[in-house]
Every structure is written in structure tokens, then in C-alpha cells.
Amino acid sequence: MTSMNSAKSYIEHHQERFLDELIELLKIPSISADSKYKDDVIKTADVIKTSLEKAGCDIVEICETPGYPIVYGEKIIDPNLPTILVYGHYDVQPPDPLDLWDSPPFEPVIKKTDLHPNGAIFARGSCDDKGQMYMHVKALEYMTSTNQLPCNVKFMIEGEEEVGSESLGWFVERNQDKLANDVILISDTGMIANDIPSITTGLRGLSYVEVEVTGPNRDLHSGLYGGAVANPINVLAKMIASLHDENNHITIPGFYDEVEELTSEERAKMAEAPFSKDAYTQALDIEDVYGEAGYTTNERNSIRPTLDVNGIWGGYIGEGAKTVIASKAFAKISMRLVPNQDWERITELFQKHFTNIAPKGVTVEVKPHHGGQAYVTPIDSIGYQAASKAYEKTFGKVPIPQRSGGSIPIVALFEKELKSKTILMGFGLDSDAIHSPNEHFGIWNYLKGIETIPQFYHYFTEMSK
Ligand code: BES
Ligand code: MN
Ligand code: MN
């Protein structure tokens, strides 16, 4: 297996089919958030089931849940050998706003970009997570068809990741034996650059809430009543603005109480990761970065907790002008959390504070959505070391451990219920526009992932002996 040429030549030989199969998968709009697409989400699970059968799994099942099904597959070659559990998701984010896509989100096209000179597949889900999940299916195909699978493997591919993984939690709690494993392997994150491989060692937690501010019992003429009653939109804007102070610290009492502070050694180590502020601001067309005083950009978006409004609405937004004081205003707010912060406690703190700061004249309702704990994986584990060796082999460089700002809330639950560590081998780039219009995934990245995954299997099995 360490003879890497074998994987390289297999991939070269089959790459066109690997791409075609992914393109077919990307054509199905498996949008879990929108019930209009229910049939498409379910159909995607079936397509994945078939692909796992073809790739060599001995058992593949569609496991029904209270929500969308989970595709489970396994190939157990010897119970004495280690077992890798691969997790991924087949659901995707809604593609809106549609008019900002250069090509339709579910009609994949291949185009070259500056960072992907060999071309990238443009489609919703190409990077998050169909493309990255499918690398694992193709890596399995390579290992089984060339008789090089060194250990046991289980697959668990869900269809509700983008809406909080509720059914997966339900499934994991009920299937601990079935899912027993030595390590969990996920490709649903990113890396620094194609020539700077990195392995994700942390994910932030999340608390997601929706707030509703109610003023007068009906919409009012803004001339007759303006200035005399609280305007829910004005009030909401002011309340939101007050959630950060002049140093961009979050003002919710108790919010930072449990926050894990890194040592200066750990922060110095982090600062070694290459980062260009100019490239960062230029890529986003912004004049400068912004954030919590006392922290670098890389720290602000990984080891520090944050609070962001994801959407805000109310009042008149149609054509022209309408003079009105709306009865209600709304916002969706997310808080990204770091190790030791408990998402349920943070949700309560938010709820209490946001209700407290509401002025007389309005009432406030805070509805919790979903959440999850942060996760950090150790770098001295066999899993991390095996992953590091795998990248070294296929990228020719030792990968940099890096904590990410994103969240995969189910990972902390895996550790709790299945007692195993997760290794996050992500091959996307931050610029791949996940959750955005024109999401794409580099063809080079896709094939590099397929090449690197079998190396992880190899080293993990070797090092577990
Ligand atoms: N794959 C992402 C998470 C991610 C992306 C982590 C890049 C690290 C780097 C995942 O599909 C996602 O979007 N998660 C959501 C949370 C979920 C509960 C909706 C997120 O991070 O917003
Ligand atoms: Mn994802
Ligand atoms: Mn996502």
C-alpha cells in the first residue's frame, strides 16, 4: 500500500468516471432545510447506498429515523483488525440567493479558477459535503478492487447535517454496538492551501437562536405614531448593537466564564501557520479585518467565541417607500463557541440577557434552534499521527494542525456516545464558497483526497498493532 503509485495510477485511470459519478450526485437537490425537496433528499440516500455496494461494502442499509434516513455500510474483513468509521452528509444547504450563481446550483459545471488551475466543479454540495464524502466511497472502491483494504470500515452518511443532525443523535444513541469503532474519519472541513496541507484539530460549538421583538399590536402610520412609541426594528437594532462593546467583546454576562484560554506557547504555535492579511482582505474586497481586540484573525475565527446576526427582517421591504412602524422585528443569531462553553447554558444566558435589555414598550421572545459543543482532537493520538503521515506521503509535506471556526456539532456527541476520537481530514479551501453562491470543489483536491485516504487506512492499521 505504501507503494503510492498504485493509488495514483488507479485514480488516473478512473478519474473521468470518478468525476461523472460525483456530477450525477450533485444534480440531485438534497436540500434538507426545505421540505419541497423531500423526495430528492431520500433519492440521494438511495444513490449513496448503491455507490457503497458497488465500492465493495458487504452490508449496506438505509436506516430509517424520525427524519431523513442514514445510509449505513460496512466491510468487516477481520474482527481483530481496527475499524474506521467514516461519517459524512449527503444533504446540502439551500442555494439561495439563486441570482448570484453564475451557473445553476444543481447543474454542475467544471471551470478553472486562480486557486484551481486544473478546474473545479461548481455546484451546491460539491465541497460541502457530497464531493468530500464521495472521496471516501472512491477510496474504498480503490482499496477493495485492488485487494488492499487493510482494516475494517463502516460508513454512516446522514441527511440532516445542515439542519442540526437531530436524527443522527437519535440513531447514534440507539446503535452504539453497530457503530463501534477505533477512530472516526470525516472529510467535511478545509485546509490552508493546496501547497500548505493542514489537518483540522478543532471545531467550534454553536448556539443558534431566533428573536422576535413585538411593539404595538398593529403596524402604525410612522407619522402619526413615530417618536411616541417604541419602533421594534429600531429597538432590535439597538439591542443587537449592544451585544458587543467597543473592543468587540460580547457583553452577555457570564458568556466568557468557561472559555478555554490558550497558553502563550499554544498561541505562538498557532501564529506559525502561514497567513497573509493582504491576501485575506483582497479576496473579500474589504479594506481591513475586524474583530475582538487582542486577538489575531486566525484566533478570532477559531479559538474565540463569537456572536453574529445571520438574518434580520421586519417592516416594509417592497418597492418604493411605505411609511410604517412595524409591529414586529426578527433576527436569527448564532454564537460560535469554544471548548468548555456549554451550548445549552450559553443559550440560557443569551435568553436571559436579551430579555433583560429590552426597553419598556416592547416584548421579546427568544426561540432556541439547535446547537452543539466545540471539539478539539489531540495531536498525539494514533489517528492524528496516521493522518499526518498520510498527508506527508501524498503532499510531500507534514500537514499543519489547525483549529477551524466551523461547526460539526455531532462530533462531540460521537465522542460521548461512541468513546472515540474524530480525525478531520478536510480537502476544501476557504475560498470554495461553501454555503455561498458558486460553491465549488477543486478536481485536484477531490483526487488528492481519494489518494490520501487509503494512506490513512494503511498507517492507522500499522500504528494500531
Ligand atoms: N462542513 C460544515 C462545517 C465546516 C466547514 C467546518 C468548514 C469546518 C470547516 C458543515 O456542513 C456546516 O456547515 N456546519 C454548520 C453547522 C450546522 C449545525 C448547520 C456550520 O458550521 O454553520
Ligand atoms: Mn458539511
Ligand atoms: Mn455545511
Side-chain angles (χ1 to χ4, degrees), residues 89 91-93 128-129 161-162 188 407 434-435:
H89 61 95
D91 64 321
V92 302
Q93 285 274 325
D128 183 12
D129 179 40
E161 197 278 340
E162 299 293 6
D188 192 22
S407 309
I434 64 172
H435 294 208

Side-chain angles (χ1 to χ4, degrees), residues 153 174 300 317 364 374:
V153 59
R174 281 162 184 75
R300 288 169 178 169
I317 53 166
V364 167

Side-chain angles (χ1 to χ4, degrees), residues 100 150 184 189 244 259 349 365 462:
L100 294 184
I184 298 169
T189 56
H244 290 93
V259 165
L349 290 178
E365 202 188 330
E462 281 299 301

Side-chain angles (χ1 to χ4, degrees), residues 191-450:
M191 57 182 190
I192 298 175
N194 285 2
D195 58 351
I196 312 170
S198 60
I199 297 177
T200 306
T201 52
L203 295 163
R204 284 195 286 192
L206 183 69
S207 162
Y208 201 108
V209 299
E210 186 168 324
V211 300
E212 179 179 326
V213 175
T214 306
N217 59 5
R218 60 182 170 87
D219 288 5
L220 302 174
H221 188 289
S222 66
L224 297 183
Y225 289 92
V229 298
N231 176 332
I233 301 177
N234 292 9
V235 167
L236 176 60
K238 199 166 167 180
M239 287 169 72
I240 288 170
S242 80
L243 295 175
H244 290 93
D245 69 13
E246 65 284 2
N247 290 314
N248 277 313
H249 289 301
I250 294 157
T251 55
I252 300 169
F255 186 83
Y256 291 98
D257 282 0
E258 327 291 339
V259 165
E260 172 207 66
E261 299 285 345
L262 266 64
T263 63
S264 42
E265 289 79 37
E266 286 170 314
R267 291 180 66 183
K269 190 97 197 99
M270 268 190 81
E272 285 172 19
F275 174 76
S276 155
K277 191 173 135 180
D278 285 343
Y280 191 85
T281 51
Q282 269 166 33
L284 300 175
D285 278 329
I286 49 176
E287 212 171 271
D288 204 355
V289 294
Y290 184 89
E292 189 181 3
Y295 294 92
T296 65
T297 297
N298 272 340
E299 290 173 336
R300 288 169 178 169
N301 67 23
S302 66
I303 61 162
R304 298 298 295 166
T306 54
L307 183 152
D308 279 290
V309 178
N310 297 256
I312 182 163
W313 69 102
Y316 183 70
I317 53 166
E319 199 183 328
K322 178 188 179 189
T323 49
V324 65
I325 293 174
S327 164
K328 284 178 187 290
F330 305 84
K332 289 182 193 280
I333 297 175
S334 67
M335 288 161 277
R336 297 282 169 172
L337 310 176
V338 299
N340 300 339
Q341 281 184 300
D342 177 60
W343 78 270
E344 282 171 316
R345 178 171 176 272
I346 293 294
T347 306
E348 268 170 41
L349 290 178
F350 178 91
Q351 208 157 6
K352 222 185 268 167
H353 179 66
F354 210 68
T355 317
N356 278 343
I357 61 174
K360 282 206 178 92
V362 301
T363 55
V364 167
E365 202 188 330
V366 178
K367 296 179 212 157
H369 267 268
H370 54 78
Q373 307 296 100
Y375 181 75
V376 173
T377 198
I379 61 169
D380 56 3
S381 67
I382 292 176
Y384 185 88
Q385 291 302 320
S388 181
K389 280 197 156 64
Y391 281 70
E392 202 181 334
K393 185 99 193 164
T394 59
F395 285 79
K397 280 182 191 170
V398 178
I400 298 170
Q402 201 186 40
R403 278 165 65 166
S404 169
S407 309
I408 310 177
I410 204 71
V411 171
L413 191 114
F414 288 159
E415 171 144 292
K416 184 168 161 255
E417 298 289 336
L418 304 175
K419 312 275 180 287
S420 40
K421 299 278 175 221
T422 291
I423 303 301
L424 298 153
M425 291 179 34
F427 296 92
L429 301 182
D430 282 355
S431 52
D432 286 348
I434 64 172
H435 294 208
S436 273
N438 303 314
E439 174 178 355
H440 54 280
F441 188 35
I443 292 172
W444 185 89
N445 300 65
Y446 177 55
L447 301 175
K448 204 61 169 176
I450 301 172

